[in-house]
């Protein structure tokens, strides 16, 4: 079955790197996504990675995928106070299914 | 990318009434979805809105409670019927583009008294 798990909370200091982790159980995941949700707002797509990739980098964001361990991470370099939000990982699985299964979300708090 | 507009952005409704939420996309998309985000929770898929046919509902969601329309490739509606306070949530429309990206609207925040 589908199950996506994240830690609930992460606190970092401004300027440090943040690493948000996610584990999933369905090995047939095709795409994995990271979304950001600020208070009172919808979901902003940050980045996504195809399951045959190990890494994807986009400016301050680096996504690492370990398929063997079913582990996904999002690294935010030089974290800013504006990065404070809830971050959701989500998987698209099994193949042919186009909808997403979401993790519980990680609340990132950036301290000045 | 895709720009998604949802209406209403928020509403306060009385128990027993129904509310229809609209989702408009700025381009034609094949896949449209409706999600629910209960207070302080993650997102749960309600259904896939299929153009020209009945929506495909997830376990725990039924058409009588959440009827969905999809008259064309840019528009869909979700109705929350016979509302109770437990239906107070954010309802989000999502679309998938041809590149595999999934975008979300800003959500419709529903409070049922």
């Amino acid at each position: 079955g589908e199950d996506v798990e994240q830690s609930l909370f992460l606190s970092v200091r401004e300027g440090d790197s943040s690493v948000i982790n996610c584990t999933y159980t369905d090995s047939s995941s095709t795409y994995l996504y990271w979304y950001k949700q600020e208070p009172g707002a919808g979901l902003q797509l940050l980045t996504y990675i195809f399951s045959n990739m190990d890494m994807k980098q986009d400016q301050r964001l680096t996504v690492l995928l370990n398929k063997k361990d079913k582990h996904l991470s999002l690294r935010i370099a030089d974290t800013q106070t504006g990065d404070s939000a809830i971050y959701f990982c989500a998987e698209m699985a099994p193949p042919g299914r186009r909808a997403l299964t979401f993790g519980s979300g990680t609340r990132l708090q950036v301290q000045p | 990318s895709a720009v998604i507009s949802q209406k209403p952005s928020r509403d306060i409704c009385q128990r027993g009434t129904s509310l229809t939420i609209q989702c408009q996309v700025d381009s034609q998309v094949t896949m449209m979805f409706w999600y629910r985000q209960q207070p302080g929770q993650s997102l749960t898929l309600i259904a896939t809105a299929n153009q020209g046919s009945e929506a495909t509902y997830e376990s725990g969601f039924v058409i009588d409670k959440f009827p969905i329309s999809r008259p064309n490739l840019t528009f869909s509606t979700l109705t929350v019927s016979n509302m109770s306070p437990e239906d107070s949530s954010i309802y989000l429309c999502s679309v998938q583009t041809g590149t595999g990206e999934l975008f979300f609207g800003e959500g419709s925040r529903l409070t049922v008294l």
Side-chain angles (χ1 to χ4, degrees), chain B residues 73-84:
Chain B
L73 293 176
T74 64
F75 186 78
S76 177
T77 66
L78 168 75
T79 298
V80 186
S81 302
N82 188 24
M83 289 183 285
S84 67

Side-chain angles (χ1 to χ4, degrees), chain A residues 72-84:
Chain A
L72 181 74
S73 68
L74 174 70
R75 178 177 181 270
I76 305 172
D78 186 24
T79 313
Q80 303 298 307
T81 54
D83 295 323
S84 293

Side-chain angles (χ1 to χ4, degrees), chain B residues 90-102:
Chain B
I90 303 172
Y91 293 87
L92 298 109
C93 171
S94 174
V95 304
Q96 184 182 34
T97 65
T99 56
E101 298 164 302
L102 276 97

Side-chain angles (χ1 to χ4, degrees), chain B residues 24-45:
Chain B
Q24 179 75 53
V25 191
D26 68 341
S27 58
Q28 293 186 341
V29 293
T30 303
M31 307 299 296
M32 292 182 77
F33 308 94
W34 286 99
Y35 288 82
R36 180 176 74 181
Q37 186 178 25
Q38 294 178 298
Q41 303 295 314
S42 185
L43 281 79
T44 302
L45 179 67

Side-chain angles (χ1 to χ4, degrees), chain B:
Chain B
S1 67
V3 177
I4 304 169
S5 300
Q6 279 189 238
K7 291 180 181 179
S9 59
R10 60 179 68 241
D11 208 342
I12 300 173
C13 301
Q14 296 299 317
R15 182 195 300 258
T17 62
S18 298
L19 178 73
T20 296
I21 302 167
Q22 299 179 0
C23 177
Q24 179 75 53
V25 191
D26 68 341
S27 58
Q28 293 186 341
V29 293
T30 303
M31 307 299 296
M32 292 182 77
F33 308 94
W34 286 99
Y35 288 82
R36 180 176 74 181
Q37 186 178 25
Q38 294 178 298
Q41 303 295 314
S42 185
L43 281 79
T44 302
L45 179 67
I46 297 172
T48 302
N50 301 309
Q51 195 267 328
S53 64
E54 196 171 280
T56 304
Y57 289 84
E58 297 296 299
S59 176
F61 298 95
V62 296
I63 188 171
D64 289 346
K65 176 66 175 177
F66 297 101
I68 289 171
S69 78
R70 178 92 190 270
N72 56 53
L73 293 176
T74 64
F75 186 78
S76 177
T77 66
L78 168 75
T79 298
V80 186
S81 302
N82 188 24
M83 289 183 285
S84 67
E86 292 71 33
D87 294 320
S88 297
S89 294
I90 303 172
Y91 293 87
L92 298 109
C93 171
S94 174
V95 304
Q96 184 182 34
T97 65
T99 56
E101 298 164 302
L102 276 97
F103 296 97
F104 284 80
E106 287 295 305
S108 298
R109 286 157 181 77
L110 175 61
T111 301
V112 184
L113 303 178

